[in-house]
Coordinates of all heavy atoms in Angstrom, one line a residue:
D1 N -49.3 72.3 -44.1 CA -49.5 71.0 -44.8 C -48.3 70.0 -44.4 O -47.9 69.2 -45.2 CB -49.5 71.2 -46.3 CG -50.1 70.1 -47.0 OD1 -50.9 69.4 -46.4 OD2 -49.8 69.9 -48.2
H2 N -47.9 70.2 -43.2 CA -46.8 69.3 -42.7 C -47.3 68.1 -42.0 O -48.0 68.1 -41.0 CB -45.9 70.1 -41.7 CG -44.8 69.4 -41.1 ND1 -43.7 69.1 -41.9 CD2 -44.6 68.9 -39.9 CE1 -42.8 68.4 -41.2 NE2 -43.3 68.2 -39.9
N3 N -47.0 66.9 -42.6 CA -47.5 65.6 -42.1 C -49.0 65.6 -41.8 O -49.4 65.2 -40.7 CB -46.7 65.2 -40.9 CG -45.3 65.0 -41.1 OD1 -44.8 64.8 -42.3 ND2 -44.5 65.0 -40.1
P4 N -49.8 65.9 -42.8 CA -51.3 65.9 -42.5 C -51.9 64.5 -42.3 O -52.9 64.3 -41.7 CB -51.9 66.6 -43.7 CG -50.9 66.3 -44.8 CD -49.6 66.3 -44.2
G5 N -51.2 63.4 -42.9 CA -51.7 62.1 -42.8 C -51.0 61.2 -41.9 O -51.2 60.0 -41.9
C6 N -50.0 61.7 -41.2 CA -49.2 60.8 -40.3 C -48.6 61.7 -39.2 O -48.6 62.9 -39.3 CB -48.1 60.1 -41.0 SG -47.0 61.2 -41.8
Q7 N -48.3 61.0 -38.1 CA -47.6 61.7 -36.9 C -46.5 60.9 -36.4 O -46.4 59.7 -36.7 CB -48.6 61.9 -35.8 CG -49.8 62.8 -36.1 CD -50.7 62.9 -35.0 OE1 -50.5 62.4 -33.9 NE2 -51.8 63.6 -35.2
T8 N -45.6 61.5 -35.7 CA -44.5 60.8 -35.1 C -44.6 60.9 -33.6 O -45.0 62.0 -33.1 CB -43.1 61.5 -35.5 OG1 -43.0 61.5 -36.9 CG2 -42.0 60.8 -34.8
M9 N -44.4 59.8 -32.9 CA -44.6 59.8 -31.5 C -43.4 59.0 -30.9 O -43.0 58.0 -31.4 CB -45.9 59.1 -31.1 CG -46.1 59.1 -29.6 SD -47.8 58.9 -29.2 CE -48.6 60.2 -30.0
W10 N -42.9 59.5 -29.8 CA -41.8 58.8 -29.1 C -42.3 58.4 -27.7 O -42.8 59.1 -27.0 CB -40.7 59.9 -29.0 CG -39.4 59.3 -28.4 CD1 -38.5 58.6 -29.1 CD2 -38.9 59.5 -27.1 NE1 -37.4 58.3 -28.2 CE2 -37.7 58.9 -27.0 CE3 -39.4 60.1 -25.9 CZ2 -36.9 58.8 -25.8 CZ3 -38.7 60.1 -24.8 CH2 -37.4 59.4 -24.7
L11 N -42.1 57.1 -27.5 CA -42.6 56.5 -26.2 C -41.4 55.9 -25.5 O -40.5 55.3 -26.2 CB -43.6 55.4 -26.4 CG -44.9 55.8 -27.1 CD1 -45.7 54.6 -27.4 CD2 -45.7 56.8 -26.3
A12 N -41.3 55.9 -24.2 CA -40.2 55.4 -23.4 C -40.7 54.9 -22.1 O -41.6 55.5 -21.5 CB -39.1 56.4 -23.3
G13 N -40.0 53.9 -21.5 CA -40.3 53.4 -20.2 C -41.6 52.6 -20.1 O -42.3 52.4 -21.1
A14 N -42.0 52.3 -18.9 CA -43.3 51.7 -18.6 C -43.7 50.4 -19.4 O -44.8 50.2 -19.7 CB -44.4 52.7 -18.7
G15 N -42.7 49.7 -19.8 CA -43.0 48.5 -20.6 C -42.9 48.6 -22.1 O -43.4 47.7 -22.8
I16 N -42.4 49.7 -22.6 CA -42.3 49.9 -24.0 C -41.0 49.2 -24.5 O -40.0 49.3 -23.8 CB -42.1 51.4 -24.3 CG1 -43.4 52.2 -23.9 CG2 -41.8 51.7 -25.8 CD1 -44.6 51.8 -24.7
K17 N -41.1 48.5 -25.6 CA -40.0 47.8 -26.2 C -39.0 48.8 -26.7 O -39.3 49.7 -27.4 CB -40.5 46.9 -27.3 CG -39.5 45.9 -27.7 CD -40.0 45.0 -28.9 CE -41.3 44.4 -28.6 NZ -41.8 43.6 -29.7
R18 N -37.7 48.6 -26.3 CA -36.6 49.5 -26.7 C -36.3 49.4 -28.2 O -36.3 48.4 -28.8 CB -35.4 49.2 -25.9 CG -35.5 49.3 -24.4 CD -34.3 48.7 -23.8 NE -33.3 49.8 -23.6 CZ -32.1 49.6 -23.1 NH1 -31.7 48.4 -22.8 NH2 -31.3 50.7 -22.9
G19 N -36.1 50.6 -28.8 CA -35.6 50.6 -30.2 C -36.6 50.2 -31.2 O -36.2 49.8 -32.3
T20 N -37.8 50.2 -30.9 CA -38.8 49.7 -31.8 C -39.4 50.8 -32.7 O -39.7 51.9 -32.2 CB -40.0 49.0 -31.1 OG1 -39.5 48.0 -30.3 CG2 -41.1 48.5 -32.0
I21 N -39.4 50.6 -34.0 CA -40.0 51.5 -34.9 C -41.3 50.9 -35.5 O -41.2 49.7 -36.0 CB -39.1 51.9 -36.0 CG1 -37.9 52.7 -35.4 CG2 -39.8 52.8 -37.1 CD1 -36.8 53.0 -36.4
V22 N -42.4 51.5 -35.4 CA -43.7 50.9 -35.9 C -44.2 51.8 -37.0 O -44.4 53.0 -36.8 CB -44.7 50.8 -34.8 CG1 -46.0 50.3 -35.3 CG2 -44.2 50.0 -33.7
G23 N -44.4 51.3 -38.2 CA -44.9 52.0 -39.3 C -43.9 52.7 -40.2 O -42.7 52.8 -39.8
A24 N -44.4 53.2 -41.3 CA -43.5 54.0 -42.2 C -44.4 54.9 -43.0 O -45.6 54.7 -43.1 CB -42.8 53.0 -43.1
T25 N -43.8 55.9 -43.6 CA -44.5 56.8 -44.5 C -44.0 56.7 -45.9 O -43.0 56.1 -46.1 CB -44.3 58.3 -44.1 OG1 -43.0 58.6 -44.2 CG2 -44.8 58.5 -42.7
H26 N -44.7 57.2 -46.9 CA -44.2 57.2 -48.2 C -43.0 58.2 -48.3 O -42.8 58.9 -47.3 CB -45.3 57.4 -49.3 CG -45.7 58.8 -49.5 ND1 -46.1 59.7 -48.5 CD2 -45.8 59.5 -50.6 CE1 -46.4 60.8 -49.0 NE2 -46.2 60.8 -50.3
E27 N -42.3 58.3 -49.4 CA -41.1 59.0 -49.4 C -41.1 60.5 -49.1 O -40.1 61.0 -48.6 CB -40.4 58.8 -50.8 CG -41.2 59.4 -52.0 CD -42.3 58.4 -52.5 OE1 -42.3 57.3 -52.0 OE2 -43.0 58.8 -53.4
L28 N -42.2 61.1 -49.2 CA -42.3 62.5 -48.8 C -42.9 62.7 -47.4 O -43.0 63.9 -47.0 CB -43.2 63.3 -49.8 CG -42.7 63.3 -51.3 CD1 -43.7 64.0 -52.2 CD2 -41.3 64.0 -51.3
G29 N -43.3 61.6 -46.8 CA -43.8 61.7 -45.4 C -45.2 62.3 -45.3 O -45.7 62.8 -44.3
Y30 N -45.9 62.2 -46.4 CA -47.3 62.8 -46.5 C -48.3 61.9 -45.9 O -49.3 62.4 -45.3 CB -47.6 63.1 -48.0 CG -48.9 63.9 -48.1 CD1 -48.9 65.3 -47.9 CD2 -50.1 63.3 -48.6 CE1 -50.0 66.0 -48.0 CE2 -51.2 64.0 -48.7 CZ -51.2 65.4 -48.5 OH -52.3 66.1 -48.6
R31 N -48.2 60.6 -46.0 CA -49.2 59.7 -45.4 C -48.5 58.4 -45.0 O -47.5 58.0 -45.5 CB -50.3 59.4 -46.4 CG -49.9 58.6 -47.6 CD -51.1 58.3 -48.5 NE -50.7 57.7 -49.7 CZ -50.2 58.3 -50.8 NH1 -50.0 59.6 -50.8 NH2 -49.8 57.6 -51.8
A32 N -49.2 57.7 -44.0 CA -48.7 56.5 -43.5 C -49.0 55.4 -44.5 O -50.1 55.4 -45.1 CB -49.3 56.1 -42.2
V33 N -48.0 54.4 -44.7 CA -48.2 53.4 -45.6 C -48.0 52.0 -45.0 O -48.3 51.0 -45.7 CB -47.3 53.5 -46.9 CG1 -47.7 54.8 -47.7 CG2 -45.9 53.5 -46.5
E34 N -47.5 51.9 -43.8 CA -47.2 50.6 -43.2 C -47.6 50.7 -41.7 O -47.3 51.6 -41.0 CB -45.7 50.4 -43.3 CG -45.3 49.1 -42.7 CD -43.7 49.0 -42.8 OE1 -43.2 49.1 -44.0 OE2 -43.1 48.7 -41.8
S35 N -48.3 49.6 -41.2 CA -48.7 49.6 -39.8 C -49.4 50.8 -39.4 O -49.0 51.6 -38.5 CB -47.5 49.3 -38.9 OG -46.9 48.1 -39.1
V36 N -50.5 51.2 -40.1 CA -51.2 52.4 -39.8 C -52.1 52.2 -38.6 O -52.9 51.3 -38.5 CB -52.1 52.7 -41.0 CG1 -52.9 54.0 -40.8 CG2 -51.2 52.9 -42.3
Y37 N -51.9 53.1 -37.6 CA -52.7 53.2 -36.4 C -53.4 54.5 -36.3 O -52.9 55.5 -36.8 CB -51.9 53.0 -35.2 CG -51.4 51.5 -35.0 CD1 -50.1 51.2 -35.5 CD2 -52.2 50.6 -34.5 CE1 -49.6 49.9 -35.4 CE2 -51.7 49.3 -34.4 CZ -50.5 48.9 -34.8 OH -50.0 47.7 -34.7
H38 N -54.5 54.6 -35.6 CA -55.2 55.8 -35.4 C -54.8 56.3 -34.0 O -54.3 55.6 -33.2 CB -56.8 55.6 -35.3 CG -57.5 56.8 -35.4 ND1 -57.9 57.5 -34.3 CD2 -58.1 57.5 -36.5 CE1 -58.6 58.6 -34.6 NE2 -58.7 58.6 -35.9
M39 N -54.9 57.6 -33.8 CA -54.5 58.2 -32.5 C -55.3 57.6 -31.3 O -54.8 57.5 -30.2 CB -54.8 59.7 -32.6 CG -54.1 60.5 -31.5 SD -52.3 60.3 -31.8 CE -51.8 61.1 -30.3
R40 N -56.5 57.1 -31.6 CA -57.3 56.5 -30.5 C -56.8 55.2 -30.1 O -57.1 54.6 -29.0 CB -58.8 56.4 -30.9 CG -59.1 55.4 -32.0 CD -60.5 55.2 -32.2 NE -61.2 56.3 -32.8 CZ -61.6 56.5 -34.0 NH1 -61.6 55.4 -34.8 NH2 -62.2 57.6 -34.4
D41 N -55.8 54.6 -30.9 CA -55.2 53.3 -30.5 C -54.2 53.5 -29.4 O -53.8 52.6 -28.7 CB -54.5 52.7 -31.7 CG -55.5 52.3 -32.8 OD1 -56.6 52.0 -32.5 OD2 -55.1 52.3 -34.0
L42 N -53.7 54.7 -29.2 CA -52.8 55.1 -28.2 C -53.4 54.9 -26.8 O -52.7 54.5 -25.8 CB -52.2 56.5 -28.4 CG -51.0 56.8 -27.6 CD1 -49.8 55.9 -27.9 CD2 -50.6 58.3 -27.8
H43 N -54.6 55.3 -26.6 CA -55.3 55.3 -25.3 C -55.3 53.9 -24.7 O -54.9 53.7 -23.5 CB -56.7 55.9 -25.4 CG -56.6 57.4 -25.7 ND1 -57.5 57.9 -26.6 CD2 -55.8 58.3 -25.4 CE1 -57.2 59.2 -26.7 NE2 -56.2 59.5 -26.0
P44 N -55.9 52.9 -25.4 CA -55.9 51.5 -24.8 C -54.5 51.0 -24.5 O -54.2 50.2 -23.6 CB -56.7 50.7 -25.7 CG -56.8 51.4 -27.0 CD -56.6 52.9 -26.7
T45 N -53.5 51.4 -25.4 CA -52.1 51.0 -25.2 C -51.5 51.5 -23.9 O -50.9 50.8 -23.1 CB -51.3 51.4 -26.4 OG1 -51.9 50.9 -27.6 CG2 -49.9 50.9 -26.3
I46 N -51.7 52.8 -23.7 CA -51.2 53.4 -22.5 C -51.9 52.9 -21.2 O -51.3 52.6 -20.2 CB -51.4 55.0 -22.5 CG1 -50.4 55.5 -23.6 CG2 -51.1 55.6 -21.2 CD1 -50.6 57.0 -23.9
L47 N -53.2 52.6 -21.3 CA -54.0 52.0 -20.2 C -53.4 50.7 -19.9 O -53.3 50.3 -18.7 CB -55.5 52.0 -20.5 CG -56.2 53.3 -20.5 CD1 -57.6 53.2 -21.0 CD2 -56.2 54.0 -19.1
R48 N -53.1 49.8 -20.9 CA -52.5 48.5 -20.7 C -51.2 48.6 -20.0 O -50.9 47.9 -19.0 CB -52.4 47.8 -22.0 CG -51.5 46.6 -22.0 CD -52.1 45.3 -21.4 NE -53.2 44.8 -22.2 CZ -53.1 44.0 -23.2 NH1 -51.9 43.6 -23.6 NH2 -54.1 43.6 -23.8
L49 N -50.4 49.6 -20.4 CA -49.1 49.8 -19.8 C -49.2 50.2 -18.3 O -48.3 50.0 -17.5 CB -48.3 50.8 -20.5 CG -47.8 50.3 -21.9 CD1 -47.3 51.5 -22.7 CD2 -46.8 49.2 -21.8
M50 N -50.3 50.9 -18.0 CA -50.6 51.3 -16.6 C -51.2 50.2 -15.8 O -51.5 50.3 -14.6 CB -51.5 52.5 -16.6 CG -50.8 53.8 -17.1 SD -51.9 55.2 -17.4 CE -52.9 55.2 -15.9
G51 N -51.5 49.0 -16.4 CA -52.0 47.9 -15.7 C -53.6 47.9 -15.6 O -54.2 47.2 -14.8
L52 N -54.2 48.7 -16.5 CA -55.6 48.9 -16.5 C -56.3 48.2 -17.7 O -55.7 48.2 -18.8 CB -56.0 50.3 -16.4 CG -55.5 51.1 -15.2 CD1 -55.7 52.6 -15.5 CD2 -56.2 50.7 -14.0
D53 N -57.4 47.6 -17.5 CA -58.2 47.0 -18.6 C -59.2 48.1 -19.1 O -60.1 48.5 -18.4 CB -58.9 45.8 -18.1 CG -59.7 45.1 -19.2 OD1 -59.6 45.5 -20.4 OD2 -60.4 44.1 -18.9
D54 N -59.0 48.5 -20.4 CA -59.9 49.6 -20.9 C -61.3 49.2 -21.0 O -62.2 50.0 -21.0 CB -59.3 50.1 -22.2 CG -59.4 49.1 -23.3 OD1 -58.7 48.0 -23.1 OD2 -60.0 49.3 -24.3
F55 N -61.6 47.9 -21.0 CA -63.0 47.4 -21.1 C -63.7 47.5 -19.7 O -64.9 47.5 -19.6 CB -63.1 46.0 -21.7 CG -62.9 46.0 -23.2 CD1 -61.7 45.6 -23.7 CD2 -63.8 46.5 -24.0 CE1 -61.4 45.5 -25.0 CE2 -63.6 46.5 -25.4 CZ -62.4 46.0 -25.9
R56 N -62.9 47.4 -18.6 CA -63.5 47.5 -17.3 C -63.5 48.8 -16.7 O -64.1 49.1 -15.7 CB -62.8 46.5 -16.4 CG -63.0 45.0 -16.9 CD -62.3 44.0 -16.0 NE -63.0 44.1 -14.7 CZ -62.3 43.8 -13.5 NH1 -61.1 43.4 -13.6 NH2 -62.9 43.9 -12.4
L57 N -62.7 49.7 -17.2 CA -62.5 51.1 -16.7 C -63.7 52.0 -17.2 O -63.6 52.4 -18.4 CB -61.2 51.7 -17.1 CG -60.8 53.0 -16.5 CD1 -60.8 52.9 -15.0 CD2 -59.5 53.5 -17.0
T58 N -64.7 52.2 -16.4 CA -65.8 53.0 -16.9 C -66.1 54.1 -15.9 O -65.7 54.1 -14.7 CB -67.1 52.1 -17.0 OG1 -67.4 51.6 -15.7 CG2 -66.9 51.0 -17.9
F59 N -66.9 55.1 -16.3 CA -67.4 56.1 -15.4 C -68.8 56.4 -15.8 O -69.3 56.2 -16.9 CB -66.5 57.4 -15.5 CG -66.5 58.0 -16.9 CD1 -67.4 59.1 -17.2 CD2 -65.6 57.6 -17.9 CE1 -67.4 59.7 -18.4 CE2 -65.6 58.2 -19.1 CZ -66.5 59.2 -19.4
Y60 N -69.6 56.7 -14.7 CA -71.0 56.9 -14.9 C -71.2 58.4 -15.2 O -70.8 59.3 -14.5 CB -71.7 56.5 -13.6 CG -73.2 56.6 -13.7 CD1 -73.9 55.6 -14.4 CD2 -73.9 57.6 -13.2 CE1 -75.3 55.6 -14.5 CE2 -75.3 57.7 -13.3 CZ -76.0 56.7 -13.9 OH -77.3 56.7 -14.0
F61 N -72.0 58.7 -16.3 CA -72.3 60.0 -16.7 C -73.6 60.1 -17.4 O -73.8 59.3 -18.3 CB -71.2 60.6 -17.6 CG -71.5 62.0 -18.1 CD1 -71.4 63.1 -17.2 CD2 -71.8 62.2 -19.4 CE1 -71.7 64.3 -17.7 CE2 -72.1 63.4 -19.9 CZ -72.0 64.5 -19.0
N62 N -74.5 60.9 -17.0 CA -75.7 61.2 -17.7 C -76.6 59.9 -17.9 O -77.1 59.6 -18.9 CB -75.4 61.8 -19.1 CG -76.6 62.7 -19.6 OD1 -77.4 63.1 -18.8 ND2 -76.6 63.0 -20.8
G63 N -76.6 59.1 -16.8 CA -77.4 57.9 -16.8 C -76.8 56.7 -17.6 O -77.5 55.7 -17.9
R64 N -75.6 56.7 -17.9 CA -74.9 55.6 -18.7 C -73.5 55.4 -18.2 O -72.8 56.4 -17.9 CB -75.0 56.0 -20.1 CG -74.4 55.1 -21.1 CD -74.5 55.7 -22.5 NE -73.9 55.0 -23.6 CZ -72.7 54.8 -23.9 NH1 -71.8 55.1 -23.0 NH2 -72.3 54.2 -25.0
N65 N -73.0 54.2 -18.3 CA -71.6 53.9 -18.1 C -70.8 54.1 -19.4 O -71.2 53.6 -20.4 CB -71.4 52.5 -17.5 CG -71.7 52.4 -16.1 OD1 -71.4 53.3 -15.3 ND2 -72.3 51.3 -15.7
Y66 N -69.8 54.9 -19.3 CA -68.9 55.1 -20.5 C -67.5 54.6 -20.2 O -67.0 54.6 -19.1 CB -68.7 56.7 -20.7 CG -70.0 57.3 -21.2 CD1 -70.9 57.8 -20.4 CD2 -70.2 57.5 -22.6 CE1 -72.1 58.5 -20.8 CE2 -71.3 58.1 -23.1 CZ -72.2 58.6 -22.2 OH -73.4 59.2 -22.7
R67 N -66.9 54.1 -21.3 CA -65.5 53.7 -21.3 C -64.7 54.8 -21.8 O -65.1 55.5 -22.7 CB -65.3 52.4 -22.1 CG -65.7 51.2 -21.5 CD -65.2 49.9 -22.2 NE -64.7 50.1 -23.5 CZ -65.3 49.8 -24.6 NH1 -66.6 49.3 -24.5 NH2 -64.8 49.9 -25.8
L68 N -63.4 54.9 -21.4 CA -62.5 55.9 -22.0 C -62.2 55.5 -23.5 O -61.9 56.4 -24.3 CB -61.2 55.9 -21.3 CG -61.3 56.4 -19.8 CD1 -59.9 56.3 -19.2 CD2 -61.7 57.8 -19.8
T69 N -62.4 54.3 -23.9 CA -62.2 53.9 -25.2 C -63.5 53.5 -25.9 O -63.5 52.6 -26.8 CB -61.2 52.7 -25.3 OG1 -61.7 51.6 -24.5 CG2 -59.8 53.1 -24.8
D70 N -64.6 54.2 -25.6 CA -65.9 53.9 -26.2 C -65.9 54.0 -27.7 O -66.6 53.3 -28.4 CB -67.0 54.8 -25.7 CG -67.9 54.1 -24.7 OD1 -67.8 52.8 -24.5 OD2 -68.6 54.8 -24.0
N71 N -65.1 54.9 -28.2 CA -65.1 55.2 -29.7 C -64.1 54.3 -30.4 O -63.8 54.6 -31.6 CB -64.9 56.7 -30.0 CG -63.6 57.1 -29.5 OD1 -62.9 56.4 -28.8 ND2 -63.2 58.4 -29.8
G72 N -63.7 53.3 -29.8 CA -62.8 52.3 -30.5 C -61.3 52.5 -30.0 O -61.0 53.2 -29.1
G73 N -60.5 51.7 -30.7 CA -59.1 51.7 -30.3 C -58.6 50.3 -30.1 O -59.4 49.5 -29.5
R74 N -57.4 50.0 -30.5 CA -56.9 48.6 -30.3 C -55.5 48.8 -29.8 O -54.8 49.9 -30.0 CB -56.8 47.9 -31.6 CG -56.1 48.6 -32.7 CD -56.3 47.9 -34.1 NE -55.8 48.8 -35.1 CZ -55.0 48.5 -36.1 NH1 -54.6 47.2 -36.2 NH2 -54.6 49.4 -37.0
I75 N -55.0 47.9 -29.0 CA -53.7 48.0 -28.4 C -52.6 47.8 -29.5 O -52.7 46.9 -30.3 CB -53.6 46.9 -27.3 CG1 -54.6 47.2 -26.2 CG2 -52.2 46.8 -26.7 CD1 -54.7 46.2 -25.1
I76 N -51.6 48.6 -29.4 CA -50.5 48.5 -30.4 C -49.5 47.5 -29.8 O -48.6 47.9 -29.0 CB -49.9 49.9 -30.6 CG1 -50.9 50.9 -31.0 CG2 -48.7 49.8 -31.6 CD1 -50.4 52.3 -31.0
E77 N -49.7 46.3 -30.1 CA -48.9 45.2 -29.5 C -47.4 45.3 -29.8 O -46.6 44.8 -29.1 CB -49.5 43.8 -30.0 CG -50.9 43.5 -29.6 CD -51.0 43.2 -28.1 OE1 -50.0 42.8 -27.5 OE2 -52.2 43.2 -27.6
Q78 N -47.1 45.9 -31.0 CA -45.7 45.9 -31.4 C -44.8 46.7 -30.5 O -43.6 46.5 -30.5 CB -45.6 46.5 -32.8 CG -46.3 45.7 -33.9 CD -46.6 46.4 -35.1 OE1 -47.1 47.6 -35.1 NE2 -46.3 45.9 -36.3
V79 N -45.4 47.6 -29.7 CA -44.5 48.4 -28.8 C -44.4 47.9 -27.4 O -43.6 48.4 -26.6 CB -45.0 49.9 -28.7 CG1 -45.0 50.5 -30.1 CG2 -46.4 50.0 -28.1
L80 N -45.2 46.9 -27.1 CA -45.1 46.3 -25.7 C -43.9 45.3 -25.6 O -43.7 44.5 -26.4 CB -46.4 45.5 -25.4 CG -47.7 46.3 -25.6 CD1 -48.9 45.5 -25.3 CD2 -47.7 47.5 -24.6
A81 N -43.2 45.5 -24.5 CA -42.1 44.7 -24.2 C -42.5 43.3 -23.7 O -43.6 43.1 -23.2 CB -41.2 45.3 -23.2

């Protein structure tokens, strides 16, 4: 039952803003209470840092074009330098 409602992630380099802390948890660290992001938000953020547009990056599979971020995700602007 360790941090079931929140996670900690450390990012560095590649256009990440130095010394930035995004979000907060309540006093026991059980759940996020400020600037809540989903894990799927990390994918478009990393793709942006790599210089790729997640809406244009597709692959063809089973008769359909898929995006890596088909199931959602928004760029975490607060970490971009």
Side-chain angles (χ1 to χ4, degrees):
D1 200 25
H2 181 69
N3 294 341
C6 61
Q7 294 182 3
T8 301
M9 183 161 301
W10 186 78
L11 302 171
I16 297 293
K17 194 182 304 181
R18 300 170 91 185
T20 301
I21 297 172
V22 177
T25 63
H26 81 308
E27 60 275 358
L28 296 177
Y30 190 76
R31 68 179 175 276
V33 294
E34 179 184 308
S35 298
V36 179
Y37 289 98
H38 194 274
M39 197 63 186
R40 71 174 63 112
D41 297 330
L42 191 61
H43 296 140
T45 304
I46 290 173
L47 290 171
R48 164 76 66 86
L49 292 169
M50 291 172 42
L52 301 170
D53 181 6
D54 63 303
F55 287 104
R56 295 184 63 210
L57 185 63
T58 62
F59 62 96
Y60 186 77
F61 175 73
N62 208 17
R64 175 182 178 298
N65 282 323
Y66 288 89
R67 283 193 343 259
L68 293 176
T69 56
D70 256 350
N71 60 354
R74 55 192 167 133
I75 295 174
I76 305 171
E77 298 285 343
Q78 295 162 313
V79 299
L80 303 179

